[in-house]
Amino acid sequence: MSNQYRQSSKLWRQSTVSYYYTSMRFEKFQARLVAASNRKKLCAPARLVDLQTLIDETINEDITFQSQPLDLRNQRTYAIRSGVNGLLDVARQTYKEANADAYQLVTDLGQTHEMTLEMKYDTARQFYIRIAVSELEERNLPEIFINAFKRKAYIECQTLDLLKLNQKIIDSHHEVLQMSDRTIQELIDKIREDIAPLFKTCEAIALLDMIASFAQLVTVQDYCRPELTDTFAIKGSRHPIREKIHAEKFVPNDAYATQQSRFQIITGCNMSGKSTYIRSLALMTVMAQIGCFVPATYASFPIRHQLFARVPSDESIEANVSTFAAEMRETAFILRNIDRRSLVIIDELGRGTSTRDGLTIAIAIAEALIESRALVWFATHFRELAHILSERNGVVNLHLAVDMSENQDRMTMLYKISDGWVQETHYGIAMAKVAGLPADVIDVATEVSTKLAQKTERKKKNSKSVALARRRKLILGLREQLKQAQDGNMQGRVLGLWLKKLQDEFVRRMAAIDEEVETLEDDAITDEEEERSEAGDKSVVEVSDDDGSLVQDVPGAANLPRRVYEMSGALPVE
């Protein structure tokens, strides 16, 4: 009896909830129908007929924008229909007669002096006369012509009578414009009373134009219809603008992001395509959420409520803000407003200050972005950032591949996204070499870079927290894959084979972590013994950054506390 009661109660609750959501959907659908009906009434042709008639009775139908100065002036002069304003008609008649007198004056001058005269107009001089140089081969220019100067094969000039007529034309034209503007303002005041239908009509036309543009784009381009799911997944993504303006074929890339891969660090050589990659993802997210197809072979997007972009910019001289200050200001705004439903792209951060400060600030900001659980694509040249955060849960390292010759005198950008951080260690020096920097400068830079890299490798320490973070990340990834399999369509033998493969991969990666930890422990013991033998009696205080590369020797500081930051970016170990 008790089980039957619980089952009936459960069914009653389910039916109640189902009824509630059904009623809510019906109310929303009904509200949309009412809004559509109201919009249809507002945009009905009957409501626009009176406005159209009022406009047609005031404005000439053949008035269009003109590019030539004289045509533009005439169009503005005759924009209002005759009969609307009597004083305006009188002013226009005066303007017309003054123009006719100017043309007649030039005709009479040509007949008097037996020359072919051509009347021209520009905004600065108004009407002026142009005479071919060939007309004056055997005589001088008559004295009646003033303000003369030569332009190649022509002489341009005026007369006193023409200057007077120009002033009369200007005065009559200004009077026409004042009365025309007054008439137009009266028309606007009458239309403003029924402006709502015009706004709705403009909105409908704009929406129709956008939808037609989307349809035309889908018809002529290789775009796909995106799906709205909980997973960010794109296959064969392309930048919607760059693939049109570049002559060479655009290289498509894939993208995948869930909560276990929500923070993706993009490294790579200069000009390898990092900025284009992350910007294309942001653009396609916007395109998908406004209802447009996207440039890809397959695309799936989660609904994003906010999109933040921190991209490189020049110094703002007007606001007295440097590049680094602008970066920090924009990043502070992002950190104050970001949440789980946001999408963020960051293209270079912390490059406008010292290397140490820039790296530490980039790490701190990355930690905050990881904790926000938003989807983040972080393009950077800080290799240390990729190393330090690589074992954090939710962090994925990617890079744009490049084909570099052995002697580093040639670089071929592949523009293809690949797993892991960039492996080329001196790609900046290689780019400088390709750009033509002197050979002796390149040699010195290579030597110094090699020594610094060797010192960094010797100073790296093993950390139990790193191994713990890697194991935790591996287990959480396994959990996510199992959940996806549970919700997926695989069954029977196919599911069994997939689970066996997943198990083998998990065991292999876990064993690799244990083996690497043991190797690093042995190396750390050896390095510590070597350092003790080299140090002798000198007191040393180590202040290490996250990859152990920054070490300062301070004599006589044996009593100071020793603080070492682990590679995981976690709290310091006292």
Side-chain angles (χ1 to χ4, degrees):
M1 198 60 187
S2 176
N3 291 335
Q4 292 179 355
Y5 175 76
R6 282 198 297 269
Q7 291 178 357
S8 60
S9 298
K10 183 178 180 181
L11 291 174
W12 182 82
R13 286 195 302 270
Q14 291 177 350
S15 61
T16 303
V17 172
S18 176
Y19 172 76
Y20 171 76
Y21 283 111
T22 303
S23 61
M24 288 288 290
R25 286 195 293 268
F26 177 75
E27 290 177 0
K28 291 181 180 179
F29 178 72
Q30 191 176 22
R32 291 173 183 168
L33 287 179
V34 173
S37 177
N38 294 336
R39 189 179 296 110
K40 184 177 180 180
K41 292 179 181 178
L42 282 173
C43 298
R47 297 203 60 178
L48 301 176
V49 170
D50 295 338
L51 294 176
Q52 183 66 40
T53 302
L54 184 62
I55 295 173
D56 290 341
E57 291 176 350
T58 306
I59 307 296
N60 276 319
E61 295 181 358
D62 59 344
I63 297 300
T64 58
F65 178 79
Q66 299 291 332
S67 59
Q68 298 299 323
L70 183 59
D71 295 336
L72 180 60
R73 188 173 75 169
N74 290 334
Q75 288 288 56
R76 292 193 63 188
T77 302
Y78 295 98
I80 306 299
R81 283 182 177 273
S82 300
V84 176
N85 187 326
L87 294 176
L88 175 61
D89 294 341
V90 174
R92 281 197 295 217
Q93 184 63 30
T94 303
Y95 171 81
K96 180 180 179 182
E97 292 174 355
N99 277 274
D101 292 341
Y103 279 98
Q104 185 61 42
L105 173 64
V106 174
T107 302
D108 294 341
L109 288 172
Q111 294 176 353
T112 302
H113 297 283
E114 297 180 353
M115 291 188 300
T116 302
L117 305 181
E118 185 179 4
M119 191 163 73
K120 294 292 184 179
Y121 175 87
D122 64 26
T123 306
R125 291 179 292 173
Q126 304 298 311
F127 285 117
Y128 62 91
I129 300 171
R130 190 166 71 173
I131 308 172
V133 175
S134 58
E135 296 283 343
L136 302 172
E137 289 182 351
E138 299 179 355
R139 55 176 172 169
N140 296 326
L141 182 69
E143 295 181 356
I144 194 173
F145 297 103
I146 60 175
N147 300 335
F149 59 91
K150 186 176 180 181
R151 286 182 181 272
K152 295 183 179 180
Y154 295 95
I155 295 176
E156 296 178 354
C157 57
Q158 292 176 311
T159 67
L160 289 176
D161 292 336
L162 184 58
L163 290 175
K164 294 177 182 179
L165 288 175
N166 279 336
Q167 188 60 45
K168 183 178 180 180
I169 292 172
I170 292 173
D171 295 339
S172 60
H173 179 62
H174 286 169
E175 187 177 359
V176 169
L177 291 184
Q178 289 177 359
M179 286 185 282
S180 296
D181 292 343
R182 193 178 304 116
T183 304
I184 294 295
Q185 188 59 47
E186 293 173 357
L187 174 63
I188 293 174
D189 293 337
K190 294 178 182 178
I191 294 176
R192 190 178 288 119
E193 299 175 359
D194 296 318
I195 200 67
L198 291 180
F199 274 126
K200 292 297 181 182
T201 302
C202 292
E203 182 181 353
I205 293 174
L207 180 62
L208 180 62
D209 178 65
M210 183 186 72
I211 295 174
S213 300
F214 288 172
Q216 192 270 343
L217 185 67
V218 173
T219 303
V220 300
Q221 302 295 337
D222 185 18
Y223 282 22
C224 74
R225 183 176 65 181
E227 299 178 359
L228 297 180
T229 64
D230 295 331
T231 303
F232 190 102
I234 306 177
K235 183 175 179 58
S237 67
R238 309 185 303 278
H239 196 288
I241 299 174
R242 287 190 176 273
E243 73 166 343
K244 298 296 180 296
I245 62 177
H246 286 178
E248 62 272 12
K249 185 178 179 181
F250 194 89
V251 179
N253 277 300
D254 301 339
Y256 179 82
T258 62
Q259 279 300 306
Q260 289 304 313
S261 56
R262 62 183 180 273
F263 190 88
Q264 304 195 9
I265 302 175
I266 315 296
T267 54
C269 303
N270 305 87
M271 301 174 62
S272 60
K274 300 186 297 296
S275 301
T276 300
Y277 176 71
I278 63 175
R279 295 184 191 200
S280 66
L281 302 181
L283 282 175
M284 284 192 286
T285 300
V286 175
M287 293 173 65
Q289 292 196 195
I290 64 175
C292 180
F293 282 37
V294 297
T297 56
Y298 171 81
S300 169
F301 297 92
I303 297 296
R304 299 288 93 182
H305 291 233
Q306 300 178 105
L307 191 150
F308 299 103
R310 158 83 275 284
V311 295
S313 60
D314 296 330
E315 296 182 358
S316 178
I317 301 177
E318 297 82 1
N320 194 25
V321 175
S322 67
T323 302
F324 181 70
E327 284 184 7
M328 296 301 101
R329 179 182 296 178
E330 296 174 7
T331 307
F333 175 81
I334 294 175
L335 295 179
R336 284 196 298 266
N337 295 277
I338 194 172
D339 59 21
R340 186 188 182 99
R341 301 172 299 178
S342 304
L343 185 144
V344 185
I345 60 170
I346 295 181
D347 189 3
E348 290 299 330
L349 193 64
R351 307 300 294 184
T353 184
S354 66
T355 303
R356 178 183 298 182
D357 291 347
L359 175 60
T360 54
I361 291 174
I363 292 173
I365 293 172
E367 294 276 4
L369 294 174
I370 294 171
E371 293 299 325
S372 70
R373 307 192 74 82
L375 298 183
V376 182
W377 279 265
F378 196 115
T380 182
H381 285 290
F382 284 130
R383 293 170 55 89
E384 297 85 353
L385 181 68
H387 283 271
I388 293 169
L389 299 178
S390 61
E391 307 307 332
R392 282 294 307 273
N393 178 39
V395 177
V396 173
N397 275 301
L398 302 172
H399 72 280
L400 272 298
V402 61
D403 184 11
M404 188 181 301
S405 61
E406 294 183 1
N407 56 358
Q408 297 186 347
D409 60 348
R410 184 177 57 85
M411 298 175 65
T412 303
M413 304 301 174
L414 303 179
Y415 306 112
K416 198 68 179 176
I417 198 73
S418 305
D419 293 332
W421 54 71
V422 62
Q423 298 300 317
E424 289 78 15
T425 55
H426 305 301
Y427 58 79
I429 298 176
M431 177 62 71
K433 185 176 182 180
V434 173
L437 211 62
D440 55 343
V441 176
I442 296 295
D443 294 340
V444 173
T446 303
E447 182 182 358
V448 173
S449 178
T450 303
K451 290 182 178 180
L452 289 176
Q454 292 173 352
K455 183 178 179 180
T456 299
E457 289 297 327
R458 288 197 305 268
K459 296 297 181 180
K460 284 186 177 179
K461 306 293 183 180
N462 176 44
S463 174
K464 294 181 180 180
S465 61
V466 174
L468 180 61
R470 295 180 64 182
R471 293 188 182 101
R472 182 172 180 270
K473 182 178 180 180
L474 186 59
I475 293 173
L476 289 175
L478 176 64
R479 175 180 175 274
E480 179 178 330
Q481 289 180 302
L482 292 175
K483 187 175 183 302
Q484 290 179 351
Q486 182 182 5
D487 299 336
N489 299 323
M490 289 190 298
Q491 294 180 356
R493 184 172 179 274
V494 176
L495 179 60
L497 292 174
W498 183 83
L499 290 174
K500 181 63 170 64
K501 182 180 178 181
L502 183 64
Q503 180 185 20
D504 295 341
E505 178 69 15
F506 178 81
V507 172
R508 184 186 63 80
R509 294 179 62 183
M510 188 64 76
I513 293 174
D514 295 337
E515 182 180 354
E516 184 177 350
V517 168
E518 293 176 359
T519 303
L520 289 174
E521 285 178 349
D522 296 338
D523 294 341
I525 294 173
T526 304
D527 290 342
E528 287 179 1
E529 292 176 352
E530 292 178 356
E531 288 179 1
R532 290 195 191 100
S533 62
E534 292 176 0
D537 297 330
K538 184 174 64 172
S539 300
V540 176
V541 177
E542 294 184 355
V543 183
S544 302
D545 65 355
D546 298 85
D547 66 348
S549 62
L550 303 175
V551 178
Q552 183 179 4
D553 295 340
V554 182
N559 296 326
L560 294 178
R562 179 178 182 273
R563 173 169 295 194
V564 179
Y565 283 87
E566 303 295 342
M567 291 215 21
S568 63
L571 292 176
V573 179
E574 298 288 351

